[in-house]
Amino acid sequence: MSEQEFFVEPDLNFIKDVQRAGGGDLKKCFQCATCSVVCNVTPDDSPFPRKEMIWAQWGQKEKLMSDPDVWLCHQCNDCTANCPRGAKPGDVFAGIRSASIKAFAFPKFMGTLLSSPGMAIFAWAIPIVILLIMISLFPTIYSILPHNLDPHSFFGELVNEFKVAGWGNMPAGPIKWTNFYPELGIDMTFITLLTLGIISLAVGLYRFWNTMKENHGEMGLMGAPVPNLLAAVPTIFAHKKFMECDESKNRYYGHLGVFYGFVGAFVTTAFVASQFWLLGMKTPYGQISHVKFLGNLSAAAIIIGGLVLLVQRATYKKSVSSYFDWTLIVLVLGLGVTGLGTELVRLADLKSIAYPTYFIHLTFVAYLFLYLPFSKMAHLAYRSVAMTFARQAQRDLVSAEEIA
Ligand code: SF4
Ligand code: SF4
């Protein structure tokens, strides 16, 4: 064996990122392997998290970033609760995931922005400024749209919404969100933000996949990614791996509520948008409509799930909660509470707080869309890709089939 093969070059910056993101006790590990023994979701062959603990201590950035096992962990903290040294392997894994998302980020500065508590104020200011700029542009947008349309036609009404929208020009009468932010303005703003978020996320996932492939090599990869992704979908949707937890089982209910709340909100939004553009049906829907019911149920699931996660984070003292964890909880609860709040203030006809509440809700949605690839929300996508790769590499089959 050559001298070169023994040479280990630590990446100190990556390790500092891991420590800042929750893995502050990683140096305490003395490699006893208790964590790998108690972990219910690790494959038997080359189990985690013991091996990753030594890689983290040695600053092995490339190994950690290309390791799908880091994402097969669901942070149940069974290992943390049993670690004799208090090295908190569950938190170290959470830190590695956050540091990896930062390293894969496109564009790079967004990863830095979203991972730095000191920059939180700027991160929140950006969506607010984008919305304010859009609102200030409504008169300009109105001036360049065609004005020869029948004002009572579908498109005529959409154009005229830009004439009255904004902070200071809202007519008297019932609260109507398009009097503040026109329907077309909503689509222009949020489709653009979501598109940017999806492009960035796709680049990050592509980098992640290639990093795993380079480390693993082409040999040993079975089948194509899509069938393997489809095979992993039931495990992802049922949150089966969360159910394997012993230590912090209630996180399963929190994640389930938030996950299905967002699925419901997505289905509601997609349905309303398709009805609007295909059939010209405008909001608000009646209080007893099935769409309204699904929307309210989704908001309730998001709020309840968010509260479960909040209580779990606040009361579970064996593990540390990082900036990423708290940002996720603020975002989830902010979206749920302001989403439901906009409906309640409209029904109560509280004009003085209705539009500010709606604006705050739009800020949370803009934050979600724009920062999708850089926040903890991206974990679902990274974890799905890792599970797909693990299946393709014949890595996750044993544990997946045992659990199915
Ligand atoms: S993290 Fe803890 S349980 Fe795991 S090998 Fe290190 S000391 Fe042992
Ligand atoms: S946190 Fe849970 S899933 Fe992750 S390594 Fe520890 S025991 Fe395994």
Side-chain angles (χ1 to χ4, degrees):
M1 210 173 268
S2 72
E3 197 177 302
Q4 184 68 26
E5 283 172 278
F6 289 106
F7 186 67
V8 172
E9 194 171 0
D11 188 316
L12 298 180
N13 286 332
F14 185 77
I15 295 314
K16 276 184 193 150
D17 281 344
V18 172
Q19 290 176 314
R20 271 194 291 262
D25 290 313
L26 72 90
K27 297 265 166 73
K28 292 180 181 170
C29 171
F30 64 176
Q31 290 290 297
C32 69
T34 306
C35 49
S36 294
V37 174
V38 298
C39 178
N40 287 326
V41 302
T42 181
D44 293 338
D45 176 32
S46 188
F48 59 83
R50 186 200 59 81
K51 65 182 188 301
E52 286 79 7
M53 292 299 288
I54 192 96
W55 293 346
Q57 287 181 334
W58 289 352
Q60 296 298 281
K61 177 184 177 184
E62 305 304 327
K63 273 185 177 295
L64 293 168
M65 284 179 59
S66 61
D67 179 18
D69 287 8
V70 167
W71 297 89
L72 301 184
C73 161
H74 282 56
Q75 211 184 350
C76 67
N77 284 319
D78 291 351
C79 54
T80 294
N82 288 285
C83 173
R85 292 280 294 162
K88 301 191 178 78
D91 293 339
V92 173
F93 265 47
I96 297 168
R97 287 189 289 270
S98 298
S100 297
I101 284 184
K102 180 183 173 189
F104 288 126
F106 170 79
K108 214 83 197 151
F109 71 88
M110 291 291 265
T112 307
L113 177 71
L114 271 291
S115 61
S116 311
M119 293 190 184
I121 193 156
F122 298 107
W124 282 101
I126 290 171
I128 293 173
V129 169
I130 289 173
L131 291 175
L132 291 176
I133 290 174
M134 282 303 295
I135 291 171
S136 72
L137 287 176
F138 290 160
T140 311
I141 296 172
Y142 177 70
S143 70
I144 57 178
L145 289 171
H147 295 142
N148 55 351
L149 301 167
D150 173 0
H152 301 296
S153 68
F154 179 72
F155 285 105
E157 284 183 7
L158 288 185
V159 170
N160 281 330
E161 284 173 1
F162 283 99
K163 195 162 57 175
V164 291
W167 287 108
N169 197 24
M170 284 169 281
I175 295 164
K176 203 174 161 198
W177 302 129
T178 52
N179 287 343
F180 175 65
Y181 213 105
E183 186 66 47
L184 266 182
I186 289 282
D187 288 357
M188 286 160 61
T189 308
F190 290 96
I191 289 175
T192 305
L193 293 178
L194 186 59
T195 304
L196 289 174
I198 289 173
I199 291 171
S200 293
L201 182 61
V203 174
L205 294 177
Y206 178 75
R207 288 173 171 172
F208 178 41
W209 182 270
N210 278 345
T211 306
M212 287 191 292
K213 215 160 100 178
E214 276 165 25
N215 189 46
H216 186 84
E218 293 287 342
M219 295 291 290
L221 287 183
M222 305 285 287
V226 173
N228 281 296
L229 173 62
L230 293 177
V233 163
T235 309
I236 296 165
F237 269 73
H239 279 46
K240 286 180 181 173
K241 296 211 170 188
F242 278 101
M243 285 160 65
E244 292 293 293
C245 295
D246 291 328
E247 183 63 20
S248 40
K249 226 178 179 73
N250 51 1
R251 276 183 71 240
Y252 164 72
Y253 299 105
H255 274 267
L256 208 64
V258 171
F259 178 76
Y260 280 102
F262 275 106
V263 170
F266 174 77
V267 171
T268 308
T269 308
F271 183 83
V272 169
S274 63
Q275 294 289 295
F276 179 79
W277 286 110
L278 297 176
L279 303 175
M281 279 183 66
K282 294 192 172 173
T283 55
Y285 284 59
Q287 283 306 310
I288 53 167
S289 75
H290 58 286
V291 186
K292 189 67 98 180
F293 177 74
L294 180 60
N296 288 337
L297 191 66
S298 305
I302 290 172
I303 294 171
I304 293 168
L307 286 174
V308 171
L309 293 178
L310 174 69
V311 170
Q312 200 273 335
R313 288 268 168 212
T315 56
Y316 188 71
K317 299 299 179 196
K318 291 178 192 166
S319 146
V320 294
S321 296
S322 69
Y323 171 63
F324 291 91
D325 300 318
W326 291 119
T327 306
L328 175 75
I329 289 173
V330 167
L331 181 62
V332 163
L333 284 175
L335 279 165
V337 170
T338 58
L340 211 55
T342 51
E343 185 181 354
L344 295 177
V345 293
R346 184 180 62 77
L347 291 174
D349 202 27
L350 299 172
K351 288 200 184 64
S352 58
I353 58 167
Y355 294 107
T357 306
Y358 184 52
F359 181 79
I360 295 169
H361 181 60
L362 293 183
T363 302
F364 277 110
V365 180
Y367 189 104
L368 172 73
F369 285 5
L370 188 61
Y371 300 144
L372 192 64
F374 318 107
S375 66
K376 244 196 140 177
M377 283 286 177
H379 279 210
L380 180 65
Y382 276 86
R383 181 166 282 133
S384 302
V385 167
M387 287 169 83
T388 303
F389 187 88
R391 291 191 71 91
Q392 218 182 331
Q394 303 284 291
R395 172 88 184 119
D396 195 28
L397 285 181
V398 176
S399 59
E401 277 159 14
E402 274 171 2
I403 290 162

